[in-house]
Every structure is written in structure tokens, then in C-alpha cells.
């Protein structure tokens, strides 16, 4: 429905452009024939002015309706629900209403409801559809009224002495500013959505327990009387797992990425650079889910076989205990996720370091060569110290990527929340837990679901701090040579 | 600093050369050169690790995925037994069992009381057999009582066996297919009933719980719809924001704040955008879960900072003389930007945009949170219907227990990578074609 109105608005705006342009031409001609001065703006600018005044108000109505109508419809539906529905537990009620929407849209419901509720479902489904239709028709009428009012306003004003161009340009400035405000609004949206649900989470789980508790098992029961109904929400094992995998990833990405950058910027010939750069770009463009698949199905089994065979070799010898441990290593381990993530980060580290090394002025290199230093000595004693802050910033950015990376760890690290520093153990990370908490059957308002937002907030804050520090370092450093 | 200059310097001063000192220096030089060579070797090693890994990754995925592009079809004559087929409701007939029993008779196998062998035989055919047979009967009820030949895909296990993925050397308790079934499969193959063909179903079907019928089309359409929403929102807003920040904004604290903010947004983990999508679009605005609309909105917010940054840098690359020339001719600021600067910066803008769209196409984590992991068999027709997307399909299939899904996962990855490569190649071509040095 809203698409139809959008089309109507676009058509009306186009008409307004043509009409405004025509009107401007006619009125300007009349004025010149009467001996008056030429029009201030060109006809097309009058047309644009008309287009803006017809299009903008109605578009604003449509956008506001798009943002708010879902919530308003939901309020109306909930307010008019029958007592049977009212009595349901909160999350069951949510599920009921989401099924009502499905039924209203003519799709089968997701759950099977007992008899009185099943009848209610059809009733509420019809109501949901009605409310939606009413709202969208109302929106459409409001948009039309806005367009007509805007049109009236503008067509009276189109006169040769109207400064249409300036007006249009003012509008363009406003629109462009609104565009850049979207970025700020996104940040505000992120912070508020995370804060809001996190606060509700911290009402049931104290902040101190979340930050310093060492036991994580969110398997909270659906009913209050069920066994094991209280979950444990100590996030320390998740932070430990995240940290462990991040360290492993950096152990791979930092040296390989850095040496690639040094090689590419100082040693490589034009030809090899032309080959290696695109390869690194492809490596950077591979979706993370592909790395996850590769980690889970190729690297994981390969490393398991490797460690198991070492284990089998050691069993019975002096290192029997280690052998026994190694022979039982499983596919999912921190090492697999960390190593593959490290590979994923190589192009990231190398392209950032490459930029930074390249930005060290040539005079420093020439000075070093003039003193008789070899290339490697120049790199080690001149370039790296000069570029060090920038490289440190790049590594910090890579760390924040590693902490926020989701798919590889979800597919290759495991789910067991363990407090361990052993890279051969399965560990779990913050991002993995967010995914597990928010996929599958879920009920909003339970601590289990809200915990995901608590974790998300922590993740956001940690990566934010790392990013800000890293960007500060990179920027301060860059200004030194410019 | 070579030994030649060293000895020359010593000679010119007329001082006798201390052989011990020279050999010490020469040893030092040798050491330094060795160090140099080692350092260079580390660089080569690092680069080869990266290149080697890419080759390994692609090689493994092609190796695992190429078999999914062909499939086996079994063609069998079926006697449409009037006693077993309900003329009015052909769908109700268990055609698979009917075919299996007839095939057993043809192979001369005696079934036991419980019909275990017929069931074992039946599991070699895809359930597609049933639908094809039912459709035949529905379209032409006169074939009841006659013998017709019906072709149907082999079941996933049988297909894997014919491809050699299930080896007959594996002990029978460790494979999903029994010794007896292997004998039957060999007999069917020998009789010429089995045909290898290009696996068109992979590209024309939606998702399915049965691997031999599962295809990527639903996910491709879902991804395309999502990318369309992303592009419609992120590209105009991104370019607008970049133009404002680069050309119009006054240098003050607000624009500094926006700039820092955009840089930070570009580095926010993608999963956080997923949380934003859940809280804002699904819980608050009540937009439909798992729909391309919500997915596209989330990806648009995510792609926005990258597009802004790329656009700004290509706007920056347009020399000020262009702006000054336009302004000098009496153009307004807006006219300068929209008629001169932006068109010149457009190739760079497009390159950055395509690359960020390619990233958005491959992004998975936020899609998992907004419910794109649910099983959706059909092919979506609009942006508000529940669908899958290519990367989330990869994730779903990777988690599936049937082994035949592994090769399909790799095949889906190949499809995804093909899209990425096309997009990136387009970006590179654009850059090459329109690259301009001022």
C-alpha cells in the first residue's frame, strides 16, 4: 500500500515540476511582454521549487508513517485485545500477536494455539489487517493533503521575481545536512537500543555479577517452576575466550601482515606488486561466512588429525599424559578460529601498514642508504621506528575487528563457556553468545534474550575505545610529516 | 660499504692493512648481507602465506563444491497399479514404495514380511519421484493400469555414492548406505537407468530439507531484494552526506563530531548493527522479521559510513581549480558541486559504492540476528516476505547434518563468490576506465 502512495507522490512531484516550469515560463513571458525585467531564476529552477514543495511534505508524512505506523498499529491491537489474550504471560502474548499479524496477512500461524485462543487468533488477525488498512489509507490521505497544501503554497508564489534558485539551493543544503545527520542518528540508535535493553537486563542481573562472574550458562527455563530456572550470567569466560582468540589471530595477522606490507612497499618489483596486491584484495573481499566454512570443514579436521596423531605417538612414552590429552582434541578449538581469523586480518593489517610505511618520507630512506645501511637495516632502524605509532594504531584496529568478528568463531570455536588459556580447548566468545541467544526460539523480556544486548553493549564499548585510541594514534602520527 | 672501498681507503692513507681487521669486517659484511637476505625471505614468506592461503581456500571450496553442480537421475518403468492408486486423490499414493517394490521384483529380490528391503530401496529415490508420478496421474488419469517410465533424482545418499563421495571400502556400519543398497545401486547403474546431468535444481529451486532438491534461487532473490533496499537507501544518503561534509559544512565542532562519528561507525562490529536491527526495526517499528526490508535497512546503515568515506576521498581528489573556475563563471556553490565536482568524482564514488555493496552482500552476522536463519522453502516475491539470503543459506547448510549439504554449501559459496568477483571486477574496471590524474 505504502509503495502505491510513494508512486503517487513521485508522480505528483513530477507533475508539479512540469506545471511549475510551465507556469514560470508563462508568467515570465507575460512580464517581459509588458516591458518588465527578466525573471530572476530559470524556469527549471521554478519547477524544482514546485517539486520540492509538493514532494517534501508528502514524503515526510510517508516516512513518519513508515517509522511509527507499526508501533501505533501494535498499540491499537494490544489495547483492544480480549481478556483471554490479556492473561497470557508477556512473551506468549508477543508470540500470539506476531501470529495474529501472520494470520491477518493470510499466512499460516507459526504456533498451534488452544481452542479459545485459536478463535481469538482469527478475530485478532482480522483486526490487525483492519488496523493496518485503516492506518495506511489514513497515511495516504494525509500525504495527499500535504501534497495539495504544498502545491497551493508554491503555485501562488511562482512569479518572475521569485528567487527560486536560492530557495531550491537552501533546500538542497537542508537535505544534504539531513543525510549526514543519519550517521549521527545511527549512532544514537545503536547506543539507545543497546542501553535500553541492557538496563532491563541489569535489573535482573547485577552489573557486578555480569562483569566479574565466572560462570556463564544462560540456559534459563521458559517456565518459572522448571528445574534450573535461574541462569548464570557471569561474562568473564566469554571475555577470556574472546581475548584468547584475538591473541591467536593477532599472532598470525601481525607478523604476516606487517612483513607483507614491508615486502610490498620496499622490496617488491612492479610486477610482483601487481600480482600480490589484488590477491590481498580478494582475501579482504571474501565473506567471513566463507572463512567460517573453511575453518569448520578444512582447518578444524586437519588440525584435529594433526594433534591426534601427535597424541597417539606420545601415548605410552614419557609424555603419556600430554599424549592422552592430544589424542582427544576435537574439531572445534580456539586455535582454529584464531588462526583463520588471523588470515582474514592479514590484508587489513598489510594495507594499513603499507599506507603508513609509504607515508614515511623518502628523505629518511635516502639518508639511511647514504650512511651505508642495507635495506633491512633501513627498514628496522629507520622506517619501523618512524612508522611505529601508525602501525600500532593499525594493529589496534585489527584487534577491534578480531573482537567483533562473528561468523568464524560461531562456526569454528564452539559453545562451551570455559575459563581457559589453552588454545586447543573449545571456547566461546561474546559474539558467539549474542548469536546463540538471539537465534532460534526466543522470548523478548527474558534475561536470556536481554543478555545479548548486555553483551552487545560491552562489545560496542570495548571496540569503540579501541577504535578511538587507534584513530587518535594514526592521526597524530600522520600529521608529523605532512 | 664494500670491501673494495675499504681497502682503497686503507691504501691511500699509506697505512698497512691489518688482515685480522679486514677479515673481521668482511665477516661482518657477510653477516649483514645474510641478515638482509633473511629479512627479505621473511617478506617473501609472509606474502606466500597470504597467497598460499587464498589458493588453499579457493581450491578446497572448488574441490568440495564442484560435485554439487551435477546430479544423478534414476529412470525406472512404473506399472501404475490400479489397486494402489486412488484416481481421485493421486497425491495420497506412496509412489516411492510402489516403485521400490517393483524394482525389487525386477532385480529378483525377495522382500521379507515387514517390507524392510522395499523401504531400503525406497530410500534411494528422492521424494520428488512421488510428486512427479502424482502429477502424471493427475494430468492423465488414463495411464493407471499402464506402465510408464518416470525419471526422478536419486536420493542424496545414492547421489553421493555415484559421485564416489561415499566409498564402498568404508566399513558398512560407518556409512549411511548399506552393502545391499550398494549392490542395487550398481545393478541399476549397469542397467543404464542412471543418468548424470547438470544439477539445474540447484539454481531453480528454493531451499529444501532434502539436499537433492535444495537450491539457491530463494536465497539469491532474497539477497538481491536486500541489496536493492540497501542500495536505494545507502547510496543517495551516503553521497549526500559526503557532499555536505566535504563541500558545504562549516568547519566547526558539529562537523568535527559528525566526522569522528562516521569514522567510528565504520569500525563498529557488524553484529552490533544486527542488535540495532532487532531493537529498532523489529521490536520497536514492528517491521516483518526475516524480511529483505529489515535486512536491507540494517545493511544500509552498515554500508553508509564506508560509502561516505569513499565518496569524500574521491571528492577531495577533485582539484580546487575546477571549483574556482565554476565559481568564477558565476555558478552558485550548489551548481559547482552538482554540475562539476560530483560528475568528475563519480567514477571514484561508484568504485567505493560497489565495493561496499559487495561487502554488504557477504555480511552474515546481522542477518542471523534479524531472523534470516529460519528455513524458508519458497521464493520471495516482495521485500516484506520472510526469505533467506545467500550468506545465511551458507550458514544454515553448513549446520545441516546431511552430508550432501556439505557439497551444496561449497556450491552456494561459489555462487556467492561469483557475485563478489563480478562486483569487484566491475569496480576495478570502472577505476581503470575512468581513472584520471590531475
Amino acid at each position: 500500500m505504502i509503495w502505491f502512495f510513494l508512486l503517487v507522490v513521485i508522480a505528483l512531484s513530477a507533475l508539479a515540476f512540469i506545471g511549475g516550469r510551465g507556469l514560470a515560463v508563462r508568467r515570465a513571458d507575460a512580464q517581459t511582454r509588458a516591458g518588465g525585467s527578466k525573471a530572476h531564476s530559470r524556469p527549471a529552477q521554478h519547477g524544482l521549487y514546485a517539486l520540492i514543495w509538493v514532494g517534501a511534505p508528502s514524503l515526510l508524512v510517508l516516512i513518519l508513517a513508515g517509522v511509527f505506523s507499526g508501533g501505533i498499529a501494535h498499540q491499537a491491537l494490544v489495547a483492544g485485545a480480549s481478556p483471554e489474550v490479556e492473561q497470557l504471560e508477556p512473551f506468549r502474548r508477543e508470540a500470539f500477536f506476531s501470529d495474529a499479524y501472520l494470520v491477518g496477512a493470510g499466512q499460516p500461524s507459526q504456533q498451534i494455539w488452544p481452542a479459545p485462543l485459536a478463535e481469538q487468533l482469527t478475530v485478532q488477525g482480522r483486526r490487525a489487517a483492519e488496523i493496518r488498512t485503516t492506518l495506511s489509507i489514513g497515511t495516504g490521505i494525509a500525504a495527499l493533503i500535504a501534497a495539495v497544501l504544498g502545491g497551493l503554497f508554491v503555485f501562488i508564489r511562482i512569479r518572475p521575481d521569485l528567487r527560486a534558485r536560492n530557495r531550491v539551493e537552501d533546500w538542497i543544503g537542508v537535505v544534504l545536512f539531513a543525510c549526514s545527520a543519519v550517521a549521527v542518528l545511527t549512532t544514537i540508535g545503536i547506543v539507545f537500543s543497546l542501553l535500553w535493553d541492557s538496563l532491563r537486563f541489569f535489573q535482573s542481573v547485577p552489573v557486578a555479577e555480569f562483569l566479574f562472574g565466572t560462570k556463564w550458562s544462560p540456559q534459563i527455563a521458559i517456565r518459572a517452576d522448571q528445574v534450573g530456572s535461574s541462569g548464570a550470567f557471569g561474562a568473564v569466560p566469554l571475555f577470556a575466550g574472546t581475548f584468547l582468540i584475538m591473541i591467536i589471530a593477532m599472532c598470525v595477522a601481525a607478523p604476516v601482515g606487517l612483513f607483507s606490507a614491508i615486502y610490498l612497499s620496499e622490496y617488491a618489483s612492479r610486477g610482483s606488486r601487481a600480482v600480490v596486491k589484488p590477491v590481498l584484495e580478494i582475501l579482504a573481499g571474501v565473506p567471513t561466512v566463507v572463512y567460517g566454512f573453511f575453518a569448520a570443514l578444512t582447518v578444524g579436521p586437519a588440525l584435529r588429525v594433526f594433534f591426534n596423531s601427535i597424541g597417539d605417538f606420545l601415548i605410552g612414552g614419557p609424555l603419556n599424559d600430554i599424549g592422552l590429552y592430544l589424542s582427544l582434541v576435537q574439531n572445534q578449538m580456539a586455535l582454529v578460529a584464531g588462526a583463520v581469523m588471523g588470515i582474514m586480518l592479514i590484508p587489513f593489517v598489510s594495507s594499513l601498514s603499507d599506507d603508513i610505511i609509504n607515508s614515511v618520507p623518502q628523505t629518511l630512506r635516502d639518508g639511511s642508504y647514504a650512511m651505508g645501511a642495507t635495506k633491512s637495516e633501513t627498514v628496522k632502524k629507520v622506517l619501523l621506528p618512524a612508522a611505529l605509532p601508525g602501525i600500532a594504531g593499525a594493529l589496534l584496529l585489527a584487534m577491534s575487528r578480531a573482537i567483533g568478528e562473528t561468523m568464524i568463531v560461531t562456526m569454528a570455536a564452539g559453545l562451551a563457556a570455559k575459563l581457559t588459556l589453552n588454545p586447543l580447548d573449545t571456547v566461546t566468545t561474546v559474539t558467539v553468545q549474542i548469536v546463540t541467544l538471539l537465534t532460534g526460539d526466543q522470548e523478548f523480556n527474558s534475561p536470556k534474550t536481554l543478555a545479548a544486548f548486555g553483551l552487545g553493549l560491552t562489545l560496542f564499548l570495548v571496540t569503540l575505545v579501541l577504535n578511538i585510541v587507534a584513530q587518535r594514534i594514526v592521526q597524530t602520527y600522520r600529521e608529523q610529516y605532512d | 660499504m664494500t670491501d673494495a672501498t675499504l681497502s682503497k681507503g686503507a691504501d691511500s692513507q699509506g697505512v698497512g692493512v691489518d688482515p685480522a681487521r679486514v677479515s673481521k669486517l668482511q665477516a661482518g659484511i657477510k653477516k649483514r648481507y645474510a641478515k638482509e637476505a633473511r629479512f627479505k625471505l621473511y617478506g617473501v614468506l609472509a606474502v606466500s602465506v597470504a597467497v598460499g592461503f587464498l589458493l588453499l581456500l579457493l581450491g578446497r571450496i572448488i574441490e568440495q563444491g564442484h560435485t554439487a553442480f551435477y546430479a544423478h537421475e534414476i529412470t525406472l518403468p512404473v506399472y501404475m497399479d490400479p489397486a494402489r492408486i486412488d484416481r481421485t486423490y493421486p497425491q495420497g499414493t506412496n509412489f516411492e514404495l510402489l516403485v521400490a517394490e517393483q524394482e525389487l521384483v525386477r532385480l529378483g529380490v525377495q522382500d521379507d514380511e515387514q517390507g524392510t528391503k522395499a523401504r531400503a530401496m525406497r530410500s534411494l529415490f528422492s521424494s520428488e519421484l512421488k510428486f512427479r508420478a502424482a502429477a502424471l496421474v493427475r494430468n492423465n488419469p488414463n495411464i493407471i493400469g499402464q506402465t510408464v517410465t518416470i525419471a526422478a533424482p536419486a536420493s542424496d545418499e545414492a547421489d553421493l555414492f555415484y559421485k564416489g563421495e561415499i566409498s564402498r571400502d568404508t566399513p558398512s556400519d560407518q556409512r549411511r548406505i548399506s552393502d545391499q543398497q550398494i549392490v542395487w545401486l550398481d545393478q541399476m547403474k549397469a542397467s543404464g537407468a542412471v543418468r548424470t546431468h547438470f544439477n539445474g535444481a540447484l539454481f531453480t529451486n528454493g531451499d529444501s530439507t532434502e539436499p537433492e532438491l535444495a537450491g539457491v534461487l530463494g536465497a539469491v532473490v532474497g539477497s538481491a531484494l536486500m541489496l536493492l533496499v540497501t542500495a536505494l537507501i545507502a547510496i543517495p544518503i551516503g553521497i549526500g552526506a559526503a557532499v555536505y561534509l566535504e563541500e558545504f559544512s562549516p568547519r566547526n565542532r558539529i562537523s568535527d563530531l559528525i566526522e569522528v562519528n562516521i569514522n567510528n561507525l565504520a569500525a563498529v562490529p557488524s553484529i552490533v548493527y544486527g542488535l540495532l536491527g532487532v531493537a529498532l526495526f523489529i521490536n520497536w517499528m514492528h517491521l516483518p522479521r526475516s524480511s529483505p526490508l529489515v535486512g536491507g535497512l540494517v545493511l544500509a546503515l552498515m554500508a553508509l559510513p564506508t560509502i561516505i568515506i569513499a565518496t569524500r576521498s574521491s571528492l577531495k581528489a577533485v582539484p580546487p581549480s575546477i571549483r574556482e573556475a565554476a565559481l568564477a563563471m558565476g555558478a552558485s556553490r550548489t551548481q559547482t558541486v552538482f554540475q562539476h565536482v560530483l560528475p568528475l568524482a563519480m567514477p571514484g564514488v561508484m568504485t567505493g559504492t560497489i565495493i561496499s555493496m559487495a561487502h554488504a552482500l557477504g555480511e552474515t552476522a546481522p542477518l542471523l540476528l534479524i531472523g534470516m536463519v529460519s528455513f524458508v522453502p519458497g521464493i520471495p516475491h516482495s521485500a516484506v516476505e520472510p526469505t533467506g539470503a545467500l550468506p545465511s543459506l551458507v550458514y544454515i547448510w553448513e549446520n545441516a547434518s546431511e552430508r550432501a549439504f556439505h557439497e551444496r554449501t561449497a556450491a552456494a559459496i561459489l555462487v556467492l563468490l561469483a557475485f563478489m568477483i563480478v562486483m569487484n571486477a566491475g569496480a576495478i574496471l570502472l577505476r581503470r576506465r575512468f581513472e584520471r590524474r590531475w
Side-chain angles (χ1 to χ4, degrees):
Chain A
M1 202 62 137
I2 208 142
W3 295 109
F4 172 72
F5 290 129
L6 195 64
L7 280 181
V8 171
V9 164
I10 291 173
L12 281 181
S13 313
L15 279 179
F17 176 78
I18 296 167
R21 194 178 179 284
L23 196 62
V25 171
R26 219 154 4 105
R27 290 195 179 156
D29 280 354
Q31 183 167 324
T32 21
R33 247 179 281 125
S37 59
K38 269 173 53 177
H40 171 271
S41 301
R42 302 180 56 192
Q45 283 154 350
H46 285 278
L48 274 179
Y49 188 54
L51 181 148
I52 288 170
W53 269 102
V54 170
S58 46
L59 206 60
L60 193 69
V61 169
L62 286 187
I63 289 174
L64 285 179
V67 172
F68 290 106
S69 71
I72 293 172
H74 194 65
Q75 294 282 329
L77 189 66
V78 172
S82 65
E84 295 104 306
V85 184
E86 289 284 325
Q87 280 161 9
L88 288 172
E89 292 158 61
F91 65 88
R92 289 269 291 167
R93 210 183 315 150
E94 286 296 321
F96 177 84
F97 284 123
S98 72
D99 268 2
Y101 286 126
L102 285 179
V103 170
Q107 287 163 356
S109 72
Q110 283 188 330
Q111 294 183 28
I112 295 166
W113 298 87
L117 285 172
E119 287 158 25
Q120 272 300 310
L121 196 64
T122 2
V123 177
Q124 300 298 337
R126 211 177 305 131
R127 274 194 57 221
E130 275 168 17
I131 292 173
R132 289 212 159 159
T133 323
T134 321
L135 265 178
S136 61
I137 289 177
T139 309
I141 292 173
L144 279 183
I145 291 175
V148 169
L149 286 181
L152 280 179
F153 174 84
V154 81
F155 278 104
I156 297 169
R157 268 150 204 258
I158 288 181
R159 277 203 314 267
D161 61 339
L162 175 75
R163 302 169 78 81
R165 187 178 101 176
N166 307 33
R167 300 276 167 86
V168 168
E169 288 181 354
D170 289 347
W171 271 97
I172 291 177
V174 170
V175 170
L176 292 182
F177 178 77
C179 287
S180 58
V182 170
V184 180
L185 289 179
T186 308
T187 314
I188 295 175
I190 289 177
V191 170
F192 268 85
S193 59
L194 291 180
L195 263 184
W196 173 250
D197 288 321
S198 301
L199 284 179
R200 292 202 288 161
F201 171 65
F202 289 129
Q203 277 167 6
S204 49
V205 179
V207 182
E209 189 193 321
F210 175 72
L211 284 181
F212 304 112
T214 52
K215 196 170 177 312
W216 177 268
S217 72
Q219 265 55 43
I220 194 162
I222 289 176
R223 294 192 316 277
D225 56 335
Q226 209 163 316
V227 185
S229 60
S230 64
F233 293 98
V236 171
L238 310 188
F239 299 143
T242 310
F243 186 70
L244 176 64
I245 289 184
M246 186 265 283
I247 293 288
I248 298 171
M250 292 313 291
C251 286
V252 175
V256 178
L258 200 53
F259 271 110
S260 305
I262 292 173
Y263 182 79
L264 285 181
S265 60
E266 300 298 316
Y267 287 95
S269 63
R270 246 169 187 281
S272 51
R273 212 179 141 88
V275 174
V276 174
K277 270 238 153 180
V279 168
L280 287 179
E281 273 170 24
I282 296 176
L283 214 49
V286 171
T288 53
V289 69
V290 177
Y291 283 110
F293 174 78
F294 183 69
L297 259 78
T298 301
V299 182
L303 283 182
R304 191 204 63 212
V305 168
F306 174 71
F307 285 116
N308 287 358
S309 59
I310 291 183
D312 291 342
F313 177 74
L314 289 178
I315 285 179
L319 298 172
N320 190 32
D321 289 347
I322 298 177
L324 280 177
Y325 175 75
L326 285 181
S327 66
L328 292 175
V329 164
Q330 292 299 308
N331 276 351
Q332 295 197 320
M333 50 177 140
L335 183 62
V336 174
V340 174
M341 199 192 285
I343 301 285
M344 181 195 87
L345 291 174
I346 289 174
F348 188 72
V349 174
S350 74
S351 72
L352 276 175
S353 322
D354 194 25
D355 285 351
I356 289 156
I357 292 174
N358 273 333
S359 73
V360 176
Q362 186 63 30
T363 48
L364 285 186
R365 286 189 194 85
D366 293 344
S368 170
Y369 295 146
M371 297 298 288
T374 62
K375 248 189 184 164
S376 65
E377 284 162 352
T378 310
V379 170
K380 275 186 278 190
K381 301 212 168 114
V382 178
L383 291 186
L384 284 186
L388 199 60
I391 289 171
L395 292 182
L396 280 183
L397 279 180
M399 273 160 77
S400 112
R401 281 257 166 136
I403 290 174
E405 168 50 38
T406 312
M407 294 321 294
I408 297 176
V409 280
T410 308
M411 291 161 96
L415 285 173
K418 273 190 237 166
L419 200 54
T420 173
L421 282 178
N422 178 359
L424 303 184
D425 229 338
T426 71
V427 294
T428 191
T429 66
V430 174
T431 50
V432 170
Q433 288 303 316
I434 294 176
V435 168
T436 17
L437 291 173
L438 279 186
T439 49
D441 290 334
Q442 46 168 291
E443 63 277 10
F444 299 107
N445 302 328
S446 90
K448 186 184 159 191
T449 315
L450 294 176
F453 289 90
L455 289 175
L457 184 66
T458 331
L459 182 69
F460 178 72
L461 291 179
V462 169
T463 51
L464 186 71
V465 169
L466 276 175
N467 295 336
I468 291 177
V469 171
Q471 275 161 15
R472 275 283 151 78
I473 294 178
V474 172
Q475 269 168 11
T476 359
Y477 160 72
R478 277 210 178 134
E479 279 162 13
Q480 284 182 355
Y481 293 113
D482 276 344
Chain B
M1 180 82 74
T2 61
D3 39 359
T5 52
L6 203 94
S7 50
K8 212 195 231 164
D11 281 345
S12 64
Q13 280 169 23
V15 182
V17 178
D18 178 4
R21 192 161 165 264
V22 169
S23 67
K24 200 176 150 202
L25 277 174
Q26 276 173 340
I29 286 167
K30 218 176 244 166
K31 226 185 195 169
R32 282 173 65 202
Y33 280 173
K35 253 189 191 167
E36 170 75 27
R38 242 179 293 142
F39 192 77
K40 191 172 173 184
L41 184 70
Y42 296 148
V44 174
L45 276 180
V47 167
S48 15
V49 164
V51 176
F53 188 84
L54 182 71
L55 294 179
L56 185 67
L57 178 95
L58 293 182
R60 274 295 285 170
I61 286 169
I62 292 172
E63 184 198 337
Q64 284 174 318
H66 75 279
T67 49
F69 291 104
Y70 63 94
H72 291 86
E73 195 175 59
I74 304 179
T75 313
L76 291 172
V78 186
Y79 172 61
M80 293 288 181
D81 193 346
R84 306 255 316 248
I85 300 171
D86 183 353
R87 192 177 282 269
T88 51
Y89 186 64
Q91 301 89 299
T93 319
N94 192 339
F95 284 103
E96 291 146 295
L97 196 62
L98 186 73
V99 172
E101 284 168 4
Q102 292 178 7
E103 182 63 20
L104 281 183
V105 172
R106 220 168 293 131
L107 295 177
V109 182
Q110 183 69 47
D111 202 353
D112 53 16
E113 296 273 302
Q114 290 84 29
T116 20
K117 289 186 178 165
R119 247 179 287 136
M121 174 62 95
R122 182 190 141 179
S123 70
L124 298 179
F125 309 119
S126 161
S127 65
E128 176 76 359
L129 175 65
K130 180 171 143 188
F131 299 115
R132 287 196 188 170
L136 272 182
V137 174
R138 208 170 335 116
N139 293 340
N140 182 11
N142 296 333
I143 60 168
I144 295 178
Q146 298 173 1
T147 302
V148 290
T149 47
I150 294 182
S155 77
D156 51 336
E157 304 292 344
D159 189 45
L160 284 180
F161 172 75
Y162 282 134
K163 285 171 182 169
E165 305 265 313
I166 294 180
S167 162
R168 57 186 88 219
D169 301 331
T170 329
S172 58
D173 54 336
Q174 281 173 30
R175 58 174 135 78
R176 292 279 303 273
I177 209 163
S178 69
D179 291 334
Q180 195 185 28
Q181 284 174 317
I182 288 185
V183 174
W184 295 339
L185 285 172
D186 285 339
Q187 282 174 333
M188 280 194 271
K189 179 137 201 177
S191 71
V194 180
R195 191 173 70 88
T196 312
H197 65 106
F198 175 70
N199 187 5
L202 187 65
F203 298 99
T204 54
N205 284 6
D207 196 4
S208 166
T209 47
E210 286 167 66
E212 71 272 13
L213 300 180
V216 298
L217 185 61
V220 168
V221 174
S223 270
L225 284 172
M226 219 162 60
L227 219 54
L228 186 72
V229 174
T230 307
L232 282 180
I233 293 172
I235 296 176
I237 295 185
I239 294 178
V243 166
Y244 177 77
L245 290 175
E246 198 56 42
E247 305 285 341
F248 291 100
S249 77
R251 291 272 159 261
N252 58 19
R253 294 189 65 175
I254 294 179
S255 57
D256 281 354
L257 193 81
I258 295 179
E259 182 158 0
V260 171
N261 186 15
I262 287 171
N263 283 334
N264 278 326
L265 271 184
V268 168
S270 60
I271 196 165
V272 171
Y273 284 97
L275 288 171
L276 172 74
V278 173
L280 186 65
F281 299 130
I282 293 179
N283 288 355
W284 193 66
M285 282 166 61
H286 291 278
L287 293 177
R289 235 173 108 77
S290 331
S291 63
L293 177 66
V294 174
L297 283 170
V298 171
L299 293 182
L301 292 185
M302 225 182 69
L304 200 57
T306 334
I307 295 182
I308 296 178
I309 292 171
T311 308
R312 285 192 72 174
S313 66
S314 55
L315 285 175
K316 239 183 223 143
V318 178
S321 55
I322 302 279
R323 295 181 186 84
E324 283 151 16
L327 290 173
M329 295 301 288
S332 69
R333 245 199 128 66
T334 317
Q335 284 170 329
T336 310
V337 170
F338 282 94
Q339 292 169 14
H340 299 270
V341 181
L342 199 55
L344 286 173
M346 221 46 203
V349 174
M350 302 267 281
T351 319
T353 307
I354 294 174
I355 288 174
S356 71
M357 286 291 124
H359 264 270
L361 174 68
E363 197 55 65
T364 322
L367 301 187
L368 302 187
L369 298 194
I370 58 162
M372 285 223 167
V373 271
S374 43
F375 170 70
V376 184
I379 290 150
H381 301 286
S382 76
V384 287
E385 274 174 59
T387 54
L390 259 180
S392 60
L393 187 76
V394 170
Y395 179 70
I396 299 171
W397 282 2
E398 198 268 334
N399 281 325
S401 53
E402 282 94 345
R403 223 187 110 186
F405 269 120
H406 284 177
E407 58 170 26
R408 279 174 176 72
T409 315
I413 287 178
L414 288 176
V415 174
L416 180 62
L417 286 179
F419 276 111
M420 315 276 304
I421 288 171
V422 167
M423 288 173 88
N424 281 312
I428 291 169
L429 272 182
L430 262 177
R431 197 168 11 179
R432 286 264 165 84
R433 175 89 178 68
F434 293 105
E435 196 172 46
R436 184 198 293 248
R437 293 209 168 241
W438 301 96

